[in-house]
Amino acid sequence: MIQHHNAEKLYSYWQRLRGESPAPQQRALYPADIKELLPHLFVLQRFDHDHYVFRLAGTGYCALFGREFRTQNMLALFNGPARKYLRVMFDRIVALPCGGIAETRAETLSGDHCLIEHLFLPIADNDNRITRILGMANVVDWGTASVFDRFARQSLFALKVLDPTAESLGPLTLARQSGGLISAEASAL
């Protein structure tokens, strides 16, 4: 289900830290343990249903888009149905808790594109409330783009929920969005 080896490393680290608990506490995360992954990481804080704000964004993630993301709402990076479906997934990640994957197509102003895999994992505060999401973004296919391109927009291509109980929640078929296909491979949305 996870495509990129960096995302597999982060998911394994997160699983090891959480042990038997639903999510690891943020204070258990040690940057030195995952230093090679840091440029691709970001942390989102849930303020309410419509606001998942970047608290931190790694240099690699910011470089893809040529801008700083800290204090911006991640949901605002998507329009229409894509924003709605991503919000539903974030709410599930925090509520269940479980991990999630979003596959996006990022495009330059000239139309060059690549495919990016985003991994989202819940993390708990000191009171064991899930209010933050540890995220990672990795290019899985450079398509027509190059490492020197900066992307101006992205469309949602697929959502997956990393939850062993996902099948019991029923299937969801998502609609077509202008600029990209929105689909769900997991049935937990």
Side-chain angles (χ1 to χ4, degrees):
M1 191 177 274
I2 296 174
Q3 296 180 52
H4 201 278
H5 61 91
N6 284 344
E8 288 174 350
K9 287 179 189 176
L10 182 62
Y11 186 67
S12 294
Y13 177 70
W14 178 83
Q15 289 277 51
R16 189 171 62 254
L17 288 181
R18 81 180 182 116
E20 297 297 315
S21 63
Q25 288 191 334
Q26 184 171 348
R27 68 178 178 210
L29 300 171
Y30 289 101
D33 292 344
I34 52 173
K35 63 183 171 186
E36 72 278 5
L37 304 178
L38 293 178
H40 310 284
L41 297 181
F42 54 85
V43 175
L44 303 174
Q45 182 168 357
R46 181 185 194 273
F47 286 98
D48 60 40
H49 180 69
D50 290 314
H51 295 91
Y52 286 86
V53 176
F54 286 95
R55 299 289 297 177
L56 158 71
T59 57
Y61 187 72
C62 293
L64 281 174
F65 295 92
R67 65 183 212 184
E68 174 61 53
F69 285 99
R70 197 178 39 199
T71 73
Q72 294 183 35
N73 183 4
M74 184 173 210
L75 294 174
L77 302 177
F78 296 88
N79 294 316
R83 182 181 300 181
K84 173 186 166 188
Y85 295 127
L86 197 57
R87 180 178 54 229
V88 168
M89 186 173 78
F90 285 171
D91 287 346
R92 291 277 168 123
I93 288 168
V94 170
L96 288 179
C98 64
I101 296 173
E103 295 174 13
T104 64
R105 176 184 163 121
E107 293 183 3
T108 65
L109 291 175
S110 64
D112 290 324
H113 66 275
C114 72
L115 296 178
I116 299 175
E117 176 184 64
H118 292 78
L119 174 64
F120 303 105
L121 302 167
I123 49 179
D125 63 15
N126 292 339
D127 297 324
N128 285 322
R129 293 174 300 166
I130 312 288
T131 58
R132 294 192 178 181
I133 295 174
L134 175 63
M136 170 180 260
N138 296 289
V139 175
V140 293
D141 181 351
W142 280 99
T144 60
S146 77
V147 296
F148 302 108
D149 285 328
R150 297 297 163 253
F151 301 99
R153 60 187 166 268
Q154 58 184 332
S155 56
L156 189 58
F157 181 69
L159 297 174
K160 303 171 190 173
V161 175
L162 303 175
D163 176 29
T165 64
E167 291 180 1
S168 66
L169 297 174
L172 175 69
T173 303
L174 304 178
R176 192 172 268 289
Q177 173 200 357
S178 173
L181 175 67
I182 303 174
S183 65
E185 290 187 19
S187 38
L189 298 176

